[in-house]
Amino acid sequence: MGIKRFGDYDKTQAYGDFQALPKGGYVVRILGATVHENSNGQYVKIATDIAEGEYQGYYNRDYQNQQTEDKKWHCHYLLSVPKDDGTEQDGWTKRRFKTFTEALEESNPGYHFDWDESKFKGLIIGGLFNEREYEKRDGSIGRATNFAQVCSVEMIRGNRYRLPEDRLLNKPGVNRGGTTTDEYGFMQIPDGADELPFD
């Protein structure tokens, strides 16, 4: 008696075959946008995928390859809507919001932002992807590619962008390849290190 063959064996992807998206700058296409609200106020959740180059369609492939029933789309840009309350925090939110709308207009000739998020669908924009750390269920630290900032597509195509810093967990005792953070989240330099881990 042999092993019973299952129907989609040839199409099933083995664990470890799916390459992580490298951090970098990418032209992304907006697949949809929805407005949500939480304790911090309104925000726009913008679903995107890589639109050009070697990794085009990366997040669609990721979605198709998920073997669980509760599939999740893994590429969203979250854009806070300013509260217009005059605070310093709101000033930063306004600048980030305006950066997004201007990058959208620069990247899509003929498009003019008119406060209707449904019109974002199908537009392209430059996406800057860094890495972020997260805590796994077992307490260890994982890293994932993170859609951190936007810019115009011309900045991406012309390779005229600077990636934002990676988002590291501020957690005491985290080991990052020979360096460990102290209780304040600062790196402790191992004995015998030739150079400091920053510029």
Side-chain angles (χ1 to χ4, degrees):
M1 179 170 178
I3 300 171
K4 183 181 177 190
R5 181 184 176 91
F6 54 91
D8 57 354
Y9 174 80
D10 293 332
K11 294 180 182 176
T12 300
Q13 190 152 17
Y15 287 113
D17 284 0
F18 200 71
Q19 182 185 359
L21 181 74
K23 62 183 181 179
Y26 299 93
V27 174
V28 301
R29 185 169 308 283
I30 296 175
L31 307 177
T34 51
V35 176
H36 299 266
E37 198 152 337
N38 62 19
S39 58
N40 295 321
Q42 263 193 348
Y43 66 95
V44 187
K45 187 176 183 180
I46 303 163
T48 65
D49 200 356
I50 309 299
E52 298 179 1
E54 178 184 355
Y55 294 94
Q56 182 176 352
Y58 175 89
Y59 287 99
N60 182 55
R61 287 191 299 280
D62 167 62
Y63 184 79
Q64 298 302 327
N65 287 322
Q66 291 175 40
Q67 302 294 320
T68 58
E69 288 183 23
D70 61 337
K71 289 186 176 188
K72 290 181 172 52
W73 191 264
H74 289 139
C75 190
H76 291 97
Y77 185 72
L78 303 180
L79 181 66
S80 295
V81 177
K83 296 177 182 176
D84 210 15
D85 60 10
T87 62
E88 185 178 17
Q89 176 69 41
D90 201 53
W92 298 331
T93 304
K94 286 179 177 179
R95 289 186 66 190
R96 187 171 183 264
F97 193 93
K98 191 70 178 283
T99 298
F100 174 82
T101 59
E102 285 189 354
L104 212 53
E105 289 177 342
E106 288 173 30
S107 302
N108 299 276
Y111 169 77
H112 180 71
F113 176 67
D114 65 357
W115 301 94
D116 183 354
E117 76 283 352
S118 70
K119 293 179 182 174
F120 295 172
K121 186 174 182 178
L123 300 180
I124 56 174
I125 197 166
L128 302 178
F129 289 71
N130 62 1
E131 287 186 347
R132 67 173 174 81
E133 290 183 335
Y134 63 95
E135 190 168 350
K136 298 180 182 178
R137 289 189 181 132
D138 64 4
S140 63
I141 303 299
R143 287 177 81 94
T145 312
N146 175 56
F147 189 167
Q149 293 178 6
V150 295
C151 62
S152 72
V153 296
E154 291 310 315
M155 290 180 75
I156 300 294
R157 291 171 178 160
N159 202 23
R160 294 182 290 110
Y161 59 86
R162 197 169 114 199
L163 288 181
E165 295 287 323
D166 290 344
R167 288 175 50 195
L168 305 180
L169 286 177
N170 186 12
K171 185 175 176 186
V174 174
N175 189 324
R176 294 189 176 86
T179 61
T180 306
T181 55
D182 65 15
E183 62 183 307
Y184 303 105
F186 293 106
M187 280 189 181
Q188 297 172 341
I189 310 304
D191 293 335
D194 293 329
E195 55 188 320
L196 298 175
F198 47 80
D199 297 323

